[in-house]
Amino acid sequence: MYTYQTQRTCSRSIDFDVVDGKVRDVDFVGGCDGNTKGIAKLVEGRPVEEVIECLEGIDCRGRGTSCPDQLARALKLVLDQQS
């Protein structure tokens, strides 16, 4: 299980796991409850690289990032650690 401290978003952190290259058990701490639950459901069981490709670069209100983008950044860190 991983915990990623988010930056410049309403969520404070993201807890998630990666099992056999797939995203599992995503839980945003804070943030827009319905939106973050929706993101978590949509990425569940999908390959890490696919999730990164879909979510990377999404901006929220000119912040330069968003909760989905922060998840992509967290997943990229996991990939870097596994290399």
Side-chain angles (χ1 to χ4, degrees), residues 21-77:
K22 297 189 179 184
V23 179
R24 301 279 184 206
D25 303 318
V26 175
D27 183 37
F28 288 82
V29 178
C32 302
D33 191 50
N35 289 337
T36 56
K37 284 180 181 174
I39 294 163
K41 277 213 178 256
L42 289 170
V43 302
E44 180 68 25
R46 292 178 68 183
V48 170
E49 293 86 354
E50 185 178 301
V51 173
I52 292 169
E53 186 178 322
C54 287
L55 302 181
E56 186 175 35
I58 293 174
D59 182 70
C60 180
R61 299 181 179 168
R63 294 179 180 161
T65 191
S66 63
C67 292
D69 180 63
Q70 290 289 295
L71 178 57
R73 292 178 190 203
L75 292 170
K76 285 178 94 171
L77 288 176

Side-chain angles (χ1 to χ4, degrees), residues 5-19:
Q5 301 301 314
T6 58
Q7 299 174 3
R8 299 188 318 269
T9 61
C10 298
S11 64
R12 295 181 301 281
S13 64
I14 309 168
D15 298 322
F16 64 96
D17 207 354
V18 174
V19 178

